[in-house]
């Protein structure tokens, strides 16, 4: 089975721009979670989607949004980029997002905001 | 809100030394606990997890962790480390009975010297 894939792997943007990141989960997985990873904060939960619905949300401003498609692929969008948004954005998929499910992580998208 | 503390941010050990990485969490309810590992150049992957039952959990590659409820701790141990254990280790917690909203610690970088 193919693992979780994320595109693009690297992005460079300037302040004020917006960006869209994509995540394709493992085949058959219906839950997708997004995390922001920075050296100072570690991994911080952004949101989780299941069956095209956002089920959980972390403490991020409304500039961070996401969606999930009927094939379980997910996108996240960051509008009006700030320097502090520079981070590695990780996507993780699991079967149904239940507490017993194992999350499988993708390689991440490295976003640099100049 | 739940939080996770990893006390050692950078650990250096010689091969064959014993390892113990500390992890404490703050949450009043029932929790699920995880240790994830990220080897250089690889994706984040699950090392072991605790949901209920025996508080001593065994994971892959000879790792184990013990849940001590009274101390809100879930320390990771390995009796004898190898150079291939060089990686970053993350402790994480989620609420029991809910969907996946996982809170991660900041991570501990382990360097094993041959």
């Amino acid at each position: 089975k193919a693992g979780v894939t994320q595109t693009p792997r690297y992005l460079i943007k300037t302040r004020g721009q917006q960006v869209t990141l994509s995540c394709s989960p493992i085949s058959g997985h219906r839950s997708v979670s997004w995390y922001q990873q920075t050296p100072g904060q570690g991994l911080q939960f952004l949101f989780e989607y299941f069956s095209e619905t956002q089920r959980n949300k972390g403490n991020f401003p409304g500039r961070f949004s996401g969606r999930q498609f009927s094939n379980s692929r997910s996108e996240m969008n960051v509008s009006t980029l700030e320097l502090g948004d520079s981070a590695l954005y990780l996507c993780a998929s699991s079967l149904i997002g239940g507490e017993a499910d194992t999350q499988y992580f993708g390689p991440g998208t490295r976003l640099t905001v100049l | 809100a739940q939080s996770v503390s990893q006390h050692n941010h950078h650990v250096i050990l010689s091969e064959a030394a014993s390892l113990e990485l500390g992890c404490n969490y703050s949450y009043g309810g029932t929790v699920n606990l995880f240790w994830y590992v990220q080897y250089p150049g690889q994706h984040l992957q699950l090392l072991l997890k605790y949901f209920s039952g025996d508080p001593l959990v065994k994971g892959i590659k000879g790792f184990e962790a013990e849940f001590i409820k009274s101390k809100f701790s879930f320390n990771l141990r390995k009796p004898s480390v190898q150079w291939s254990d060089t990686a970053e280790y993350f402790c994480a917690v989620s609420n029991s009975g809910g969907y996946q909203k996982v809170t991660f610690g900041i991570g501990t970088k382990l360097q094993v010297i041959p």
Side-chain angles (χ1 to χ4, degrees):
Chain A
K1 254 187 191 179
V4 177
T5 57
Q6 292 187 245
T7 57
R9 294 292 311 277
Y10 302 91
L11 264 178
I12 300 175
K13 293 285 187 179
T14 55
R15 278 184 300 174
Q17 287 187 307
Q18 75 164 25
V19 67
T20 299
L21 313 181
S22 180
C23 171
S24 293
I26 290 173
S27 177
H29 286 192
R30 294 166 61 194
S31 168
V32 173
S33 297
W34 287 90
Y35 296 86
Q36 181 194 65
Q37 185 178 12
T38 56
Q41 301 286 328
L43 278 86
Q44 293 186 282
F45 175 79
L46 280 155
F47 25 66
E48 185 247 353
Y49 284 87
F50 176 78
S51 288
E52 302 178 65
T53 301
Q54 186 181 89
R55 226 170 25 178
N56 276 306
K57 190 176 188 305
N59 297 323
F60 277 82
R63 300 185 296 107
F64 291 81
S65 63
R67 59 178 175 167
Q68 187 180 36
F69 302 94
S70 58
N71 61 358
S72 294
R73 190 176 70 84
S74 177
E75 287 181 348
M76 69 163 279
N77 184 278
V78 188
S79 63
T80 319
L81 283 166
E82 300 177 359
L83 295 178
D85 297 333
S86 293
L88 181 67
Y89 290 88
L90 293 171
C91 163
S93 77
S94 64
L95 280 169
I96 60 170
E99 59 177 323
D101 283 358
T102 294
Q103 286 190 303
Y104 294 86
F105 284 81
T109 294
R110 172 78 59 189
L111 171 64
T112 302
V113 181
L114 302 176
Chain B
Q2 56 198 17
S3 65
V4 178
S5 296
Q6 291 183 244
H7 314 296
N8 314 101
H9 298 305
H10 198 174
V11 173
I12 302 174
L13 293 173
S14 298
E15 274 193 315
S18 65
L19 169 72
E20 180 158 5
L21 300 182
C23 172
N24 287 92
Y25 67 92
S26 66
Y27 181 67
T30 308
V31 295
N32 305 310
L33 296 156
F34 312 82
W35 275 98
Y36 284 84
V37 61
Q38 189 168 30
Y39 297 103
Q42 295 188 27
H43 304 181
L44 201 64
Q45 59 183 284
L46 183 68
L47 201 54
L48 49 79
K49 60 185 178 183
Y50 170 82
F51 289 108
S52 63
D54 189 345
L56 185 61
V57 180
K58 295 194 185 298
I60 60 172
K61 303 187 180 187
F63 286 91
E64 65 177 31
E66 185 175 12
F67 171 47
I68 303 179
K69 190 175 180 181
S70 60
K71 294 185 178 180
F72 296 89
S73 71
F74 190 57
N75 292 354
L76 181 71
R77 301 194 293 246
K78 186 170 184 179
S80 175
V81 294
Q82 301 172 314
W83 176 78
S84 58
D85 294 323
T86 295
E88 190 160 15
Y89 294 81
F90 295 88
C91 181
V93 62
S94 69
N95 298 357
S96 180
Y99 299 113
Q100 283 177 345
K101 183 177 179 180
V102 184
T103 300
F104 283 80
I106 201 165
T108 297
K109 289 185 179 175
L110 171 66
Q111 185 179 356
V112 180
I113 302 169

